[in-house]
């Protein structure tokens, strides 16, 4: 806990990725609530399509909740560097987190669509725009 009462995410991350039993306990506690919340939000959605942003979609067998799986793909070295930079964590901790996830090839094997995130943000917009148009077409909406 941080001094303001907020969850200390860095401390929790370090603790659960250092101890499989603690990670399993947290998963068992949170995942049923998260799935319920996801289903409620999906049911309440009124947009032409809805994106579920789930970092461990495949690991937790949640792809059955989706009509399509979109993978935002990045090379492992880039992912490690970006995570270290964003979260201010050591490389070993990032590698430990990645070991808890399915590997890149497995993730890509489950993908219906892929955004290549090995580039700068300016080059992402055309990919996102193209997918948006594709998804609107798939659900019969033209915008």
């Amino acid at each position: 806990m941080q001094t303001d009462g907020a969850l200390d995410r860095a401390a929790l991350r370090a603790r659960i990725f250092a101890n499989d039993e603690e990670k399993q306990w947290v998963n068992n506690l949170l995942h049923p609530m998260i799935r319920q919340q996801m289903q409620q939000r999906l049911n309440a959605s009124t947009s032409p399509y809805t994106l579920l942003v789930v970092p461990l979609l495949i690991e937790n067998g949640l792809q059955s909740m989706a009509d399509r799986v979109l993978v935002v793909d990045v090379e492992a070295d880039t992912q490690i560097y970006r995570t270290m930079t964003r979260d201010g964590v050591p490389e070993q901790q990032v590698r430990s987190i990645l070991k808890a996830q399915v590997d890149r090839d497995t993730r890509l094997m489950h993908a219906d669509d892929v955004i290549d995130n090995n580039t700068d943000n300016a080059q992402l917009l055309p990919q996102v725009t193209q997918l948006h148009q594709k998804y609107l077409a798939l659900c019969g909406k033209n915008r």
Side-chain angles (χ1 to χ4, degrees):
M1 213 44 85
Q2 296 181 354
T3 56
D4 65 356
L7 176 66
D8 186 340
R9 292 178 177 271
L12 178 62
R13 182 185 318 115
R15 186 171 178 169
I16 65 173
F17 284 103
N19 184 318
D20 285 339
E21 289 177 12
E22 297 218 20
K23 184 175 98 177
Q24 191 60 44
W25 183 87
V26 169
N27 287 344
N28 289 341
L29 174 70
L30 296 179
H31 286 184
M33 291 185 284
I34 292 168
R35 283 189 181 114
Q36 180 181 16
Q37 187 68 224
M38 286 170 52
Q39 193 59 58
Q40 288 173 347
R41 289 183 180 188
L42 279 173
N43 292 342
S45 175
T46 59
S47 60
Y49 65 89
T50 303
L51 297 176
L52 290 172
V53 180
V54 183
L56 300 176
L57 182 84
I58 296 161
E59 292 83 346
N60 291 310
L62 297 174
Q63 64 268 36
S64 63
M65 294 180 75
D67 295 325
R68 301 184 68 77
V69 173
L70 166 62
V71 170
V72 179
D73 183 48
V74 68
E75 293 174 7
D77 289 341
T78 303
Q79 184 178 17
I80 291 166
Y81 172 77
R82 288 178 181 172
T83 303
M84 290 170 53
T85 303
R86 180 192 68 215
D87 297 345
V89 296
E91 181 177 348
Q92 189 53 43
Q93 187 178 66
V94 176
R95 289 189 182 280
S96 178
I97 292 168
L98 293 179
K99 283 174 66 174
Q101 300 175 6
V102 297
D103 61 66
R104 182 179 181 204
D105 290 337
T106 302
R107 205 169 24 256
L108 289 171
M109 192 171 48
H110 283 87
D112 296 299
D113 305 295
V114 178
I115 290 178
D116 178 2
N117 195 14
N118 289 301
T119 185
D120 62 40
N121 288 341
Q123 294 183 1
L124 290 175
L125 183 59
Q127 294 180 74
V128 172
T129 301
Q130 182 180 23
L131 272 175
H132 173 63
Q133 293 304 318
K134 177 180 180 176
Y135 291 166
L136 287 174
L138 286 170
C139 57
K141 306 284 182 183
N142 293 323
R143 289 194 182 181

